[in-house]
Amino acid sequence: MDSLETILSLTDADGLKSLYRQAYAEKLRYIGPHVSVRGLIESGNVCAKDCYYCGIRKSNPKVRRYQLSEDDIVRLAEAAKSFGYASVVIQSGEIESESHTQMIVRVLKRLAALDLGVTLSLGEQEADVYKRWREAGATRYLLRIETANEKLYSRLHPADHSWRRRVECLRTLRKLDYQVGTGVMCALPGETVRDLADAIRFFRDEDVDMIGMGPYIPHPDAPLDGVLPLTRAERLAWGLKMIAATRLTLPKVNIAAATALQALADDGREQGILAGANVIMPNVTDVEYRADYQLYAGKPCLNENAGLCRSCLDRRLAAIGEKILYGERGDSLRYFERCKNAQR
Ligand code: SAH
């Protein structure tokens, strides 16, 4: 295999096609023509963080803030289960409060009866909070590192946001026996090919189970400076290259075809699968809240309910010869190697 830097520097169409083909072959070899699904529940957009790139950062006054109730979250998880999604992801802005922590504990205890894989993506928390959520039934946690370059991280966030704390959180999650997911954005202003290659080396060195990556997409009310003048196709290509290079380096991890890919091209998620990804997270949040959870401009499926999303996904994946693994939790192969309690 060429060096990661060489792979990530490819720009010619033939070279890229051949890279995606190789990475997809690797996905077929280890995982087969299958895609795992997780119903995505966007449980709230209240956020204590002020990330310069994010549409729901706390100082964006245009956002109508919402927090789903315990009953709402459970109802959406039940709906996900009725669609055959055996795993859900509960994601929200970052809230470090005892009442929110307790609400999530209650949700997790109720979800135990549904026998679902539950991933949380609720930001940085104290070790004790992660522990309580793990004991209440969460099995996976997603916390993107955003960039592997600490200096670049500090330019994308206010001074009180700490890259090191994120790394510590990931290590804590690992110790607590979560399946750990992380990832970065690509096509960020000031980011180099070396930074992206370092991100893949970071995933390898931290031995993570799941990876979610996507191109940075500007948001009109987020103040990040120096946005690169890239076309949608060029942003998408960065996302696909990162997926392919990651699959070639880490053949057994779960890699998500992030929704950001679909924001850049109608068939962006399928292109992600054909570049080596194996997980899709169809949105099951009620339509009335979807527009309030816009991290970037152009979020897709704002008006499509979960049922429509499901039939659309079936059709799209069948068209590329892939099948959704309904009724299967889809733990990562890497996790199976480490842990005997993993579930298909
Ligand atoms: N509060 C949670 C969830 C964050 S939202 C947490 O901190 O983990 C999930 C991801 O969306 C972020 O980690 C970030 O990588 C991505 N994101 C935010 N703004 C974005 C943008 N403008 N373009 C693309 N991705 C973005």
Side-chain angles (χ1 to χ4, degrees), residues 40-278:
L40 175 63
I41 301 171
E42 295 162 336
S43 62
N45 64 3
V46 178
C47 192
K49 289 292 181 74
D50 225 355
C51 311
Y52 296 147
Y53 45 83
C54 183
I56 64 166
R57 60 199 299 266
K58 80 168 172 202
S59 58
N60 180 4
K62 296 191 188 162
V63 178
R64 184 179 65 144
R65 303 286 166 176
Y66 73 92
Q67 171 63 54
L68 298 188
S69 69
E70 179 187 329
D71 286 349
D72 275 336
I73 300 174
V74 172
R75 173 178 56 77
L76 293 174
E78 284 167 350
K81 175 143 179 151
S82 76
F83 289 130
Y85 306 158
S87 288
V88 292
V89 178
I90 303 174
Q91 185 177 85
S92 81
E94 191 170 295
I95 305 171
E96 283 191 82
S97 83
E98 181 55 28
S99 63
H100 182 257
T101 300
Q102 284 181 13
M103 191 272 282
I104 296 293
V105 166
R106 290 194 301 274
V107 166
L108 291 166
K109 288 188 172 156
R110 287 172 64 183
L111 294 189
L114 296 178
D115 192 27
L116 288 167
V118 183
T119 308
L120 298 180
S121 179
L122 304 172
E124 296 160 37
Q125 302 285 342
E126 293 298 321
D128 178 59
V129 173
Y130 288 146
K131 182 161 179 275
R132 286 160 67 193
W133 289 342
R134 179 76 187 89
E135 285 167 359
T139 48
R140 310 176 179 135
Y141 206 99
L142 288 177
L143 183 75
R144 288 189 182 178
I145 193 74
E146 312 300 0
T147 167
N149 179 338
E150 186 174 1
K151 281 212 177 87
L152 177 58
Y153 186 92
S154 71
R155 294 203 294 269
L156 303 172
H157 300 89
D160 62 348
H161 292 35
S162 158
W163 184 84
R164 299 227 159 247
R165 184 178 188 216
R166 269 182 118 69
V167 176
E168 281 316 310
C169 284
L170 288 171
R171 293 180 181 161
T172 301
L173 290 161
R174 159 52 49 78
K175 281 193 209 121
L176 290 168
D177 192 34
Y178 279 92
Q179 290 177 66
V180 177
T182 191
V184 293
M185 287 178 285
C186 40
L188 285 163
E191 183 182 63
T192 63
V193 161
R194 165 92 190 272
D195 294 334
L196 292 173
D198 282 344
I200 297 175
R201 290 186 277 265
F202 176 88
F203 305 153
R204 181 198 61 203
D205 295 346
E206 295 294 320
D207 194 11
V208 297
D209 304 294
M210 318 179 289
I211 296 166
M213 293 173 292
Y216 157 66
I217 305 174
H219 186 288
D221 303 312
L224 188 59
D225 281 335
V227 172
L228 303 174
L230 298 175
T231 63
R232 282 152 57 91
E234 287 166 336
R235 278 188 197 280
L236 178 64
W238 276 112
L240 299 176
K241 261 197 283 192
M242 276 302 276
I243 289 175
T246 303
R247 175 61 69 206
L248 291 173
T249 311
L250 302 169
K252 295 180 181 169
V253 296
N254 275 351
I255 304 179
T259 314
L261 300 176
Q262 196 191 357
L264 294 168
D266 195 39
D267 64 347
R269 289 177 305 178
E270 295 93 292
Q271 292 194 49
I273 299 294
L274 293 173
N278 70 311

Side-chain angles (χ1 to χ4, degrees), residues 279-292:
V279 173
I280 286 186
M281 309 196 322
N283 201 332
V284 297
T285 312
D286 292 320
V287 171
E288 69 171 297
Y289 294 115
R290 290 191 189 194
D292 299 324

Side-chain angles (χ1 to χ4, degrees), residues 315-332:
R315 190 167 26 81
R316 286 170 170 278
L317 290 176
I320 58 167
E322 289 274 325
K323 214 170 142 256
I324 294 183
L325 294 173
Y326 287 115
E328 297 191 24
R329 288 192 183 199
D331 287 343
S332 97

